[in-house]
Each structure stands twice: as C-alpha cells, then as structure tokens.
C-alpha cells in the first residue's frame, strides 16, 4: 500500500468518526489549522525525525494544539505518531479536507482578480461563478490579487484554468497574430 493510500484510509476513518460524533465542521477547521501549522519547516522536521521519540513528538503536538483542537483531532495525530506514521500527517490532513469537501458537496477554487473586491462585488462574482461553472454548487474560494491582470479573473480548480482576464485575452490575441 502506498503512503498516499494509507493517508487516505486514516483520513476516511477520521472523517467517518467526525460525522458520527457530529463534529465534522470543527474537525475540518482543526485539519485546516494543523495543515497551516505544518507549513513550518522546523515542526515538520521535528515530527519526521527518527531521533525524536514519539512521546516527545506527542508532547510537542499537545503544547501546540491541546487548546485549539477537538479531542478527536488530537487523538488522530497521536495515533499516527503511536503507529510511527508521522510521514502521513500532511497527506492525511489534505485527504481529510478533500473527502470532507466531496461529502459536503463543496468545490474548492482559486480565484485571482485584478483588484481586491469589496464584499458585495465578491459575493456577486462568486454567485455568478457558482451558477455558470458549478451548477450552483457551494464553493470554497481562496482569493488572490494580481494587478497585472488589468481586469477580469482567473479561476482554477481540479487542474483546470479559466482565464477571463484582460491580460489573458491580450496574450491569446498576440499569439493568434504571431501564428498567422
């Protein structure tokens, strides 16, 4: 079994337990928090180090997360350490979020606009995107700003890219003229 498959199995178990206990949204928030925290290289290296004992790793996690995480989330992290599967933590967190989104019918997307949108304009644009591209499905939007787009937006999801920006249209136009 590959590491990715193992991580998916652990994530599925956590997801099932969180739904059974009706704390799935809180555990989702926990996994987002854990994922963001694991971006710190020193922490990640400490958890992966074969020199540091499991009890020390669990103590580190307790100090970092004890007050922030649901008990189930912390027990999940402890289980991975107890089973010497620390290398699965990041993949399991990512898999949990993907499976949660799938079960809840949420489509994660990256939206890049030329300017930072005010809340009303953001809601208007995201409602149109949801209806036009996702049949009204709930979206989880990560917004970015790239002033070089001039206008329009770029939407990225599931390895697809929809570019309605002025910059993108100009690039296509230049490419079409250069091919003639």
């Amino acid at each position: 079994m590959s590491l990715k498959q193992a991580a998916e199995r652990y994530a599925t178990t956590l997801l099932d337990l969180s739904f059974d206990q009706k704390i799935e949204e809180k555990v989702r928030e926990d996994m987002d928090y854990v994922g963001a925290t694991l971006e710190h290289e020193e922490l990640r290296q400490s958890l992966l180090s074969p020199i540091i004992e499991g009890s020390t790793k669990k103590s580190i996690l307790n100090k970092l997360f004890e007050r922030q995480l649901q008990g189930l989330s912390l027990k999940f992290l402890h289980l991975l350490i107890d089973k010497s599967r620390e290398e699965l933590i990041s993949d399991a967190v990512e898999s949990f979020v993907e499976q949660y989104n799938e079960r809840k019918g949420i489509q994660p997307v990256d939206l890049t606009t030329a300017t930072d949108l005010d809340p009303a304009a953001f809601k208007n644009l995201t409602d149109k995107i949801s209806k036009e591209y996702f049949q009204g499905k709930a979206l989880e939007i990560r917004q970015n700003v790239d002033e070089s787009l001039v206008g329009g937006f770029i939407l990225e999801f599931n390895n697809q890219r929809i570019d309605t920006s002025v910059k993108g249209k100009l690039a296509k136009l230049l490419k079409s003229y250069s091919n003639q």
Side-chain angles (χ1 to χ4, degrees), residues 70 111 116 159 163:
Q70 296 291 310
L111 175 65
D116 197 18
N159 296 322
D163 187 347

Side-chain angles (χ1 to χ4, degrees), residues 11 14 30 50 63 71 89 99 105 124 143 157-158 172 177 180:
L14 176 61
D30 290 351
K63 287 180 181 168
I89 294 174
Q99 291 180 47
N124 186 30
Q143 185 182 10
F157 59 96
N158 297 344
K172 286 178 190 174
Y177 280 122
Q180 291 180 356

Side-chain angles (χ1 to χ4, degrees), residues 22 38-39 41 45-46 49 52 59 62 77 83 98 100 105 113 119 131 152-154 162-163 179:
K22 298 183 180 5
L38 288 176
E39 290 179 10
E41 186 64 27
Q45 291 304 319
S46 296
S49 173
I52 299 175
S59 177
N62 286 340
L77 297 174
K83 299 288 185 182
E98 289 171 1
Y100 174 91
T113 56
K131 288 176 188 164
F153 62 87
I154 298 173
I162 299 170
D163 187 347
N179 289 339

Side-chain angles (χ1 to χ4, degrees), residues 12-124:
T12 299
T13 301
L14 176 61
L15 185 65
D16 290 343
L17 286 171
S18 71
F19 270 89
D20 289 347
Q21 296 178 21
K22 298 183 180 5
I23 57 170
E24 68 274 6
E25 290 178 14
K26 291 182 180 186
V27 173
R28 164 62 199 272
E29 291 171 8
D30 290 351
M31 293 301 106
D32 287 340
Y33 184 70
V34 169
T37 304
L38 288 176
E39 290 179 10
H40 297 311
E41 186 64 27
E42 298 88 18
L43 174 61
R44 194 170 45 254
Q45 291 304 319
S46 296
L47 292 175
L48 294 174
S49 173
I51 298 170
I52 299 175
E53 293 183 20
S55 60
T56 304
K57 293 175 183 180
K58 286 166 57 172
S59 177
I60 291 168
L61 291 177
N62 286 340
K63 287 180 181 168
L64 285 172
F65 298 129
E66 198 168 45
R67 293 192 178 138
Q68 286 81 16
L69 302 186
Q70 296 291 310
L72 178 62
S73 300
L74 192 57
K75 287 178 186 174
F76 172 72
L77 297 174
H78 286 183
L79 174 68
L80 291 172
I81 290 171
D82 289 341
K83 299 288 185 182
S84 299
R85 304 295 273 174
E86 297 91 335
E87 75 277 9
L88 298 179
I89 294 174
S90 291
D91 286 340
V93 165
E94 184 179 318
S95 180
F96 176 90
V97 171
E98 289 171 1
Q99 291 180 47
Y100 174 91
N101 286 343
E102 188 174 315
R103 196 176 288 188
K104 288 282 202 169
I106 299 170
Q107 174 65 54
V109 297
D110 288 314
L111 175 65
T112 305
T113 56
T115 61
D116 197 18
L117 301 174
D118 65 69
F122 181 78
K123 181 169 180 10
N124 186 30

